[in-house]
Amino acid sequence: MYKSEQLALSLQHLIETGTWKAHEKLPSLRQQVEISGFSLITVMNAYQELEAKGLIYSKEKLGYFIAENPVQAALAQKVIVNDKIEINSIVFRYLKSIQSEKIVPLGSAFPNSQLLYSSKLMQTLAHQAKYRVGYEQMPSLPPGNYELRKLIAQRYCMQGIPTDPSDIVITSGGLDALNLSLRALTQSGDYILLQETIFYGAWQAAENLGLKVITIPEHPEYGLDLQAFKKAIKTYPIKVCLLMLNSHNPIGFTVSDEIKFELAKLLHEQKIYLIEDDVYEELYYGQKKPLSMKYFDQYNQVLHCSSFSKTLGAGFRIGWVYAGKFSENIQHLQLMSTVSVNSFIQNALADYLSHRHYDKHLKNLRSTFKRLKNQYYQYLNQNLPKDCKVHAYPSGYFLWITLPKTIESSRIYEEMIQKDIGIAPSILFYRKNKEQNHIRINCSFEMNENIKHALDLLIDHVSDSE
Ligand SMILES: Cc1ncc(COP(=O)(O)O)c(C=O)c1O
């Protein structure tokens, strides 16, 4: 973060918390230089940024003053209506470009598959193939294999979320769960709320379904900006929110229980449904698994979507939605589209999960991701130019990097892909209304010579672009 942004943020905090009242005079530029220790140019930039946000105004020769209604002004510029979404073709081109085996997979959304396919899982699959027959049968039609749903329901119960197998619908991966949930709850033209930076699948779903998207920015400290959230739901007729609150992709933050609790209250007050994308729920590094919004949901307003893609393999295409009272509706939609999820794999995963291999596997996976992410963080943090920021959150396998504002991450991506190295540029995750100066790096691969070489090239490109 630039020094001027840092100063602007701390002044903004004073304004938003009411320390300075409307029309009160701010310290002059020179006074602010003395107070803050920053240079005159930094202070000028910070004041101009606050002015552009409508938080302060200037009077010639008199200085800067607090705006009439600074809190409203700040929130208004944070909540954005995204009327025309055109992300599908960008995502399509991007996914095609990183598909080849020769591309170094730093831009991949998938974890290193070698860490996922444990020998126990392979044995279970082989056993299923050898001894079981008759997979093309009714029990795997929607809502999906009963045993698998029972085991998933047990995992919710273990976290204090009362769940019956009938609440769960098995889907073709997490993305299918998100799409089906959105289709069940919305119609074309409805307003939905997304985080400003979010997994591109959410943008794609909104584009496909013709939804109007309101976005709120991430809070630099808490992940979710509750004030902006309140402003958005009170201003727009939002029907559904689609949020990621645990191990957010691409940024990585996890929102606190206190904020989740408040969020659940607001959803109830405003009668808004939440589709919770929680496909990284198992990839925390702490002692305790973060709670999902489902835990705080007393009124059946949360459809919790998850999958085994990030822990056992995306190729299995097995996910689920805790659909509760929407189960039947979602099954209807499934029977009109994908019909059924692969029954062989459902059987095999039910078998695997029933033997408690999964938790052991998850423990190993978490500690490997933690080790690798830390290595990548150290390397990039030491070697990228000092005005880059590598965000380090304790979960998952992505690093989110802020480049200087003058560097467009799509250009870095184009240069790197010419050299057979993939990185994920920010255009995949947020709209064009702010600087596209972020990249996401996948850290789930051992840092061998090949990866190190790719990281060095990235560091060189960023340094040369300054
Ligand atoms: C945040 C998020 N949600 C959903 C998905 C889709 O998961 P699945 O592969 O299970 O469909 C992904 C995949 O990258 C993701 O990152």
Side-chain angles (χ1 to χ4, degrees), residues 108-111 171-178 198-202 242 244 246-250 277-280 305-310 313-315 317-320 397-398 429 440:
S108 170
F110 306 122
T171 59
S172 299
L175 191 56
D176 190 36
L178 295 173
I198 189 80
F199 165 57
Y200 46 76
L242 193 162
M244 272 200 86
N246 294 327
S247 192
H248 177 274
N249 175 15
D277 181 350
D278 208 7
V279 299
Y280 298 85
C305 299
S306 191
S307 79
F308 295 109
S309 297
K310 310 295 175 183
R317 305 309 307 138
I318 303 277
W320 67 91
Y397 52 91
F398 294 134
F429 308 104
R440 189 195 67 188

Side-chain angles (χ1 to χ4, degrees), residues 58-256:
S58 59
K59 278 191 191 170
E60 218 177 317
K61 297 207 178 112
L62 291 178
Y64 286 90
F65 298 82
I66 305 295
E68 171 67 33
N69 204 340
V71 177
Q72 290 305 318
L75 290 175
Q77 58 93 30
K78 285 178 177 175
V79 176
I80 294 171
V81 187
N82 301 262
D83 34 19
K84 197 157 190 292
I85 306 166
E86 286 170 339
I87 197 162
N88 273 322
S89 52
I90 298 172
V91 173
F92 181 79
R93 261 185 284 121
Y94 168 74
L95 292 178
K96 283 277 171 200
S97 76
I98 60 163
Q99 225 170 41
S100 157
E101 293 238 316
K102 68 176 186 191
I103 302 290
V104 183
L106 298 178
S108 170
F110 306 122
N112 177 359
S113 58
Q114 289 183 2
L115 300 176
L116 305 188
Y117 298 160
S118 68
S119 54
K120 281 278 182 257
L121 178 59
M122 292 302 140
Q123 279 166 16
T124 310
L125 286 163
H127 180 83
Q128 289 285 318
K130 195 165 175 190
Y131 296 108
R132 302 279 180 94
V133 284
Y135 295 113
E136 307 305 321
Q137 283 173 0
M138 304 306 274
S140 284
L141 284 174
N145 181 300
Y146 179 76
E147 283 304 314
L148 185 58
R149 287 186 293 120
K150 197 173 89 184
L151 289 156
I152 292 172
Q154 273 171 14
R155 297 185 76 79
Y156 280 100
C157 291
M158 271 159 15
Q159 256 215 318
I161 304 169
T163 310
D164 188 85
S166 63
D167 290 318
I168 308 294
V169 179
I170 305 293
T171 59
S172 299
L175 191 56
D176 190 36
L178 295 173
N179 274 296
L180 287 165
S181 304
L182 263 181
R183 283 175 62 201
L185 296 177
T186 63
Q187 289 173 344
S188 173
D190 282 345
Y191 280 88
I192 64 162
L193 182 141
L194 298 181
Q195 285 144 311
E196 189 170 85
T197 308
I198 189 80
F199 165 57
Y200 46 76
W203 287 109
Q204 288 181 288
E207 181 179 344
N208 289 343
L209 297 175
L211 301 170
K212 294 197 184 104
V213 177
I214 305 296
T215 49
I216 54 161
E218 292 68 49
H219 191 285
E221 200 177 335
Y222 308 123
L224 189 94
D225 189 330
L226 258 188
Q227 293 305 325
F229 182 81
K230 275 186 205 159
K231 167 87 185 169
I233 59 173
K234 292 196 169 140
T235 312
Y236 297 97
I238 290 165
K239 216 168 176 184
V240 176
C241 302
L242 193 162
L243 300 175
M244 272 200 86
L245 303 168
N246 294 327
S247 192
H248 177 274
N249 175 15
I251 301 177
F253 60 77
T254 292
V255 169
S256 70

